[in-house]
Amino acid sequence: MRIRSVGRRLAVPLFAVALLAAGCGANDTGAPEGAVAALGTVNDINPHDVSELRDGGNLRLVMSSYPEQWNPLQLDSDGGVASVVRPTLPRSFVTDSAGKISVDTNYFTSVELTNTEPQQVTYTITPKAVWSDGSPITWEDIASQANALSGRDDRFLISNTMGFDRVEKVERGVDDRQAIITFEKHFADWAGQFAGNSMLLPKEATATPEAFNEGWRNGVTKTAGPFVVQSTDRAQGRVVLGRNPKWWGDTPKLDTITFSELASEAMVPALANNEVDAVGLGTRDDMETARNTAGVVIRRAPSNFWNHLTFNGAPGSLLEDPAVRVAIIKAIDRNGIAKAMQNGLVPDPKPLNNHIFLQGQDGYQDNSLPFDPEAAARELDALGWKLNGDVREKDGRRLEIRDVMYNDQTWVQIAQIIQQNLAQIGVKLVIETKPGNGFFTDVIQPGNFDVGQWSWQGDAFPLSSIPQIWGYYPDDLQGNYGRIGSPELNELIEQTLSELDPQKAIDLANQVDKEIWAEGHSIPLVQSAGNVGVRDNLANYGAAGLASLDYTKIGFLK
């Protein structure tokens, strides 16, 4: 599943799962420049046994905006709220530093593919697992969420079906603690339906469209994790998580986790002033500040956030023609962007050349379009977009495109490079910055852009995101904010999701990626370096790599 985020630096320290990892050295700045470990095999979280940690303490983290919608499965939510609620909600699988999944036994004793014709998955819930009001977690919670995310009732404003549109039924198993999901069509990414960036909500939150869309609009109801939402303060931009008194697992070492809303430019200074304990480092200046701050170390593991541009190809839009979009892609020097943005942050900056898989992830291959500005100019000429002075025109319209992004220095710098690239072929790029609050709900979802910039965050289950972002279903927007697609691509996506053989599914997913490039849907730019400035006495937290964070084991050294 993909979760969107307004900016790379904003979200890096907040999320539990990352998809790629690079090694770290023994010095206090993390990995030595030029040192690289095998991707997907390590992380950098300062591991310590819980016996070495002191009891109590408050972990201070940042968020780019106060949550507008607390339901992480609802269309209006973004990556920020997922980071806040993840320590409070169940999931079926966790990942280790090598990316291998295993059942999260805090919540399930087993999750198994028990049949293939028809496909069936059996979830057996841990007997002690309860919601924060003491009520048991049961098969009804699973069934209710499966119904809400099925897409059969469009009043549920969902961000992703997560394959539940392929589910025939959910039944009670041997008792209330077991659910059997039967699929009417195969679903390749079945293991991710309650894992990664998707979490299980109580049935009350998914029972009706009103409950799903509005019940968690201003806060959560009941949850089930080592932490609960202890207090919220919209005016101060602050959310505090505290220990869950009903938690049945290992007692967390921390007393509280506090999320504070900070503007992008204030985050690293807050780390330097000892106001927060961990912040993503998105620029060389950020890295230098962290290096020069006493008590702070840099933890490194390339993250699963990736910067990109999405085109608006809606009917009647300036960039409706896919041939125009493809020409523009060829005029953008993505290698140059990678080097300009990540020299000094990673040893060998490279652009991300695949929409679905990240570098180092099983299935990743380069399917990208070439950088060829001369070809781009010729193609625009052939399409009737002729130069008139410095800017091309056709039928009285200027090829002047609005690039809309969160007001962050990194995003603006990327846009300025693209602006220079496109000026060489007679395309004018106008940079528009927006605040974090309302960025998706007020700007991106309504399509108020020609090109939009934000980050996507993936997890260990990338196939489930394919229809969410690149399938085009006019009556079900999900994450395809550019409104670009075709029936042919939808059919190829369907084949991919129906393939239960993992390698065949990967091959089909790469065919999908080639078609995404060919239709000029969007442009992946760079994968986030994943560098995080962290207090040197904070253990079991930092740059997680592929591994899930265990919130019961995060804490401060004695």
Side-chain angles (χ1 to χ4, degrees):
M1 177 183 177
R2 292 289 191 272
I3 289 184
R4 64 200 184 189
S5 172
V6 292
R8 289 185 304 166
R9 181 174 67 189
L10 305 185
V12 167
L14 302 184
F15 286 82
V17 180
L19 280 180
L20 299 179
C24 61
N27 62 28
D28 65 357
T29 61
E33 299 298 338
V36 183
L39 294 176
T41 59
V42 292
N43 57 6
D44 190 3
I45 60 170
N46 192 25
H48 284 270
D49 188 82
V50 291
S51 63
E52 302 174 62
L53 308 184
R54 60 183 172 89
D55 290 324
N58 174 38
L59 175 61
R60 302 166 298 171
L61 303 176
V62 299
M63 57 186 179
S64 58
S65 62
Y66 189 87
E68 299 177 49
Q69 165 63 266
W70 288 74
N71 178 352
L73 307 176
Q74 206 270 349
L75 183 63
D76 294 340
S77 67
D78 60 27
V81 74
S83 68
V84 173
V85 300
R86 183 170 284 108
T88 74
L89 289 172
R91 55 188 169 181
S92 54
F93 289 96
V94 293
T95 56
D96 66 12
S97 60
K100 296 180 180 179
I101 64 172
S102 58
V103 174
D104 189 334
T105 54
N106 284 311
Y107 302 104
F108 297 95
T109 58
S110 67
V111 180
E112 298 177 295
L113 180 66
T114 48
N115 200 4
T116 57
E117 296 296 344
Q119 182 182 356
Q120 288 184 317
V121 179
T122 300
Y123 289 79
T124 303
I125 301 165
T126 299
K128 293 182 179 180
V130 296
W131 297 106
S132 52
D133 65 352
S135 61
I137 299 174
T138 74
W139 76 276
E140 293 179 331
D141 298 300
I142 291 174
S144 181
Q145 186 158 314
N147 177 66
L149 298 184
S150 70
R152 297 184 180 99
D153 185 342
D154 60 12
R155 294 177 299 167
F156 287 93
L157 302 181
I158 61 176
S159 61
N160 189 343
T161 62
M162 282 303 298
F164 289 110
D165 56 332
R166 312 169 79 84
V167 168
E168 177 187 350
K169 58 185 176 181
V170 181
E171 299 174 290
R172 181 180 184 268
V174 296
D175 56 26
D176 283 349
R177 295 285 193 167
Q178 189 174 79
I180 301 173
I181 298 180
T182 301
F183 292 79
E184 59 185 4
K185 294 187 291 185
H186 285 173
F187 181 51
D189 239 1
W190 60 268
Q193 289 191 303
F194 298 101
N197 293 321
S198 181
M199 294 160 272
L200 177 63
L201 272 59
K203 61 186 177 183
E204 293 87 347
T206 58
T208 66
E210 182 179 5
F212 186 84
N213 298 326
E214 302 299 331
W216 282 24
R217 176 70 62 179
N218 296 310
V220 301
T221 54
K222 64 184 187 182
T223 54
F227 289 88
V228 294
V229 177
Q230 179 174 294
S231 64
T232 62
D233 189 329
R234 183 180 293 273
Q236 294 294 321
R238 185 169 294 117
V239 176
V240 179
L241 307 184
R243 290 181 181 176
N244 177 5
K246 300 290 186 181
W247 176 245
W248 57 94
D250 294 338
T251 301
K253 301 304 290 186
L254 294 168
D255 287 324
T256 54
I257 303 174
T258 298
F259 295 87
S260 297
E261 179 182 4
L262 289 176
S264 174
E265 64 273 12
M267 291 182 181
V268 174
L271 178 71
N273 293 332
N274 197 20
E275 297 167 2
V276 299
D277 296 312
V279 166
L281 307 173
T283 69
R284 288 176 287 275
D285 287 343
D286 292 344
M287 295 280 283
E288 191 63 24
T289 298
R291 284 194 182 99
N292 294 328
T293 300
V296 168
V297 296
I298 297 174
R299 310 234 175 261
R300 294 183 168 186
S303 90
N304 56 337
F305 286 90
W306 46 282
N307 293 26
H308 86 294
L309 283 78
T310 280
F311 290 105
N312 185 346
S317 66
L318 181 63
L319 301 177
E320 179 181 4
D321 186 346
V324 173
R325 301 193 298 266
V326 166
I328 289 173
I329 292 173
K330 292 179 181 178
I332 296 175
D333 183 3
R334 296 184 310 113
N335 276 296
I337 290 172
K339 287 179 170 55
M341 303 314 301
Q342 294 195 332
N343 273 332
L345 299 180
V346 300
D348 184 20
K350 295 181 184 299
L352 181 65
N353 294 319
N354 196 299
H355 292 82
I356 297 168
F357 300 105
L358 296 181
Q359 294 168 3
Q361 188 175 11
D362 191 16
Y364 179 83
Q365 65 183 45
D366 183 351
N367 297 319
S368 63
L369 296 175
F371 172 54
D372 192 343
E374 292 182 358
R378 290 194 304 269
E379 290 168 16
L380 290 175
D381 282 336
L383 292 166
W385 287 97
K386 303 296 186 180
L387 275 174
N388 184 0
D390 293 331
V391 181
R392 294 177 181 271
E393 292 185 357
K394 179 181 178 181
D395 300 330
R397 301 179 79 180
R398 285 163 56 88
L399 198 47
E400 182 175 313
I401 59 180
R402 297 166 48 242
D403 184 0
V404 178
M405 71 211 71
Y406 172 71
N407 187 13
D408 175 77
Q409 178 187 2
T410 300
W411 286 114
V412 173
Q413 289 174 345
I414 291 172
Q416 288 170 340
I417 296 171
I418 296 171
Q419 188 180 55
Q420 293 170 8
N421 289 161
L422 296 185
Q424 301 302 310
I425 63 163
V427 177
K428 184 175 181 179
L429 188 80
V430 178
I431 300 171
E432 290 190 13
T433 60
K434 304 290 183 180
N437 285 323
F439 180 76
F440 289 103
T441 55
D442 300 339
V443 180
I444 300 302
Q445 287 179 20
N448 185 18
F449 63 94
D450 296 317
V451 177
Q453 291 185 211
W454 63 89
S455 291
W456 286 114
Q457 182 210 12
D459 56 24
F461 311 97
L463 301 187
S464 61
S465 304
I466 297 177
Q468 174 197 6
I469 304 172
W470 300 290
Y472 184 47
Y473 316 100
D475 296 328
D476 184 15
L477 179 63
Q478 295 192 53
N480 190 344
Y481 303 119
R483 297 161 173 82
I484 296 170
S486 69
E488 294 78 15
L489 181 55
N490 286 356
E491 176 58 30
L492 186 55
I493 290 171
E494 172 64 25
Q495 293 177 38
T496 305
L497 293 183
S498 298
E499 182 52 68
L500 293 184
D501 182 292
Q503 187 55 54
K504 290 180 181 178
I506 285 173
D507 293 341
L508 285 166
N510 272 301
Q511 292 183 39
V512 170
D513 184 52
K514 292 174 183 177
E515 292 301 315
I516 294 169
W517 283 102
E519 71 179 12
H521 179 282
S522 49
I523 315 172
L525 296 174
V526 293
Q527 194 170 317
S528 175
N531 300 325
V532 186
V534 184
R535 297 284 152 210
D536 59 6
N537 65 338
L538 180 61
N540 302 320
Y541 187 88
L546 271 172
S548 306
L549 290 174
D550 185 340
Y551 290 92
T552 68
K553 293 179 170 57
I554 299 170
F556 295 94
L557 297 172
K558 292 179 179 177

